[in-house]
Every structure is written in C-alpha cells, then in structure tokens.
Amino acid sequence: MNIVVFIKQVPDTNDVKWTQNNNIDRANMESIMNPVDKQAIQASLKLKEQNNAHITAITMGPGSAINILKEAIAMGVDDATLLCDAKFAGSDTCATSKVLSSVINSKFPDTDLILFGQSAIDGETSQTGPSTAVRLNMPFICHVNEIVEITDSQITVNTDNEKERSVYKVSLPA
C-alpha cells in the first residue's frame, strides 16, 4: 500500500506579526508543521504498522519547508518531497490543488490513499484536499476522525460532526 500525506508549513500563530497591508508577515515569523497534518501523519503511521504501507510526505512551499519534511521523516514517514517554485508563491486552494494533483499523476500514480489534515491554521478553508481529489477523479471523505478498516480495495472510516456520527466506505484509491 502506498500512502501520500500532504503537509503544510504554516506560521506559528502563537506569535503573529502583521504587515502594513494587514497581511500576515510570514517572512518574520517562525514556521511550523500545520498541527492537524501531524494527525494525518499519525494516521498513516498506524496504517503502515498494520499494512506494511509506504508513506511519502509532500509539501508545496519555499525552501524552508524542508524542515517540516525532516520532521515528518523523524516521525516515521519513509520518503519526502518538496515542491518548490517561485511560480507557486501566493497560490490559492485552486492553484494548489492543480499542482498537487499533477504531482500525484506524474510522480506517484500508484498511490492508494491520500491524506490531508482537515484544514491549515493559516487559512481554515478545508478546500485543498477535496479539490485535489476531484482533480484526480478519486472518492474522498472529509472530517474523518477514525480509520476503522482498510483493505486492498476499500477504506472504512468514521466521521463526526456536531449532529451525528457516520460510517463511510469508499473504494481505493481515495
């Protein structure tokens, strides 16, 4: 089983600085791995133990994002890839999903499962994962709080929202 976990370098929101244009001053802030992306890595590591999976962490960002890839490797991820190009600067979720789906199609076509954290603390849109899945023509499930079972052909998960708990099964790749 081949798993890709997309992770994001984000500003450490414990010490936010602002520009004169009222934007986050990313150049003068510490950067960290998006906290919920760590949860996605942890979920992939459980699957690695259970299914002898191979995990690749991928991030799109500046050269300094190599630090979160090193952190992912230290957590137990097998491989890491940095997508770094000046053309990516300032990408919104639409542009980001185009890049991420393109890299899956071209470099990781044998991926069985793609994991994202629910959202990034610097945007909170929760759009990049679903947008990437749509571009890949893959089924996707949002707001997963537990992977119940995974086989060679499908994954079963639990989701929770404020009103209900649901169980979903989807075919792989997803």
Side-chain angles (χ1 to χ4, degrees), residues 49-91:
E49 287 177 19
Q50 297 166 355
N51 300 287
N52 196 29
H54 183 272
I55 306 166
T56 301
I58 302 174
T59 192
M60 179 176 131
S64 62
I66 194 79
N67 294 326
I68 67 166
L69 292 174
K70 289 177 181 178
E71 183 179 352
I73 294 287
M75 291 173 72
V77 167
D78 300 301
D79 290 309
T81 299
L82 172 62
L83 308 174
C84 183
D85 192 307
K87 295 175 187 173
F88 301 157
S91 292

Side-chain angles (χ1 to χ4, degrees), residues 5 20-21 25 46 66 76-78 88 91-92 96 102 112 117-118 122 132 143 148 153-154 156 158 173:
V5 181
Q20 290 181 340
N21 296 332
D25 184 2
K46 286 181 184 177
I66 194 79
V77 167
D78 300 301
F88 301 157
S91 292
D92 62 7
T96 300
S102 176
D112 299 297
Q118 180 172 317
D122 65 343
T132 302
H143 307 289
V148 176
S153 62
Q154 75 178 12
T156 306
N158 288 332

Side-chain angles (χ1 to χ4, degrees), residues 9-11 15 37 72 93 103-104 116 119 123 132 134 151 169:
Q9 176 180 269
V10 295
D15 187 26
D37 295 346
T93 56
V103 90
I104 290 292
F116 285 83
S119 62
T132 302
V134 167
T151 67
K169 292 181 181 187

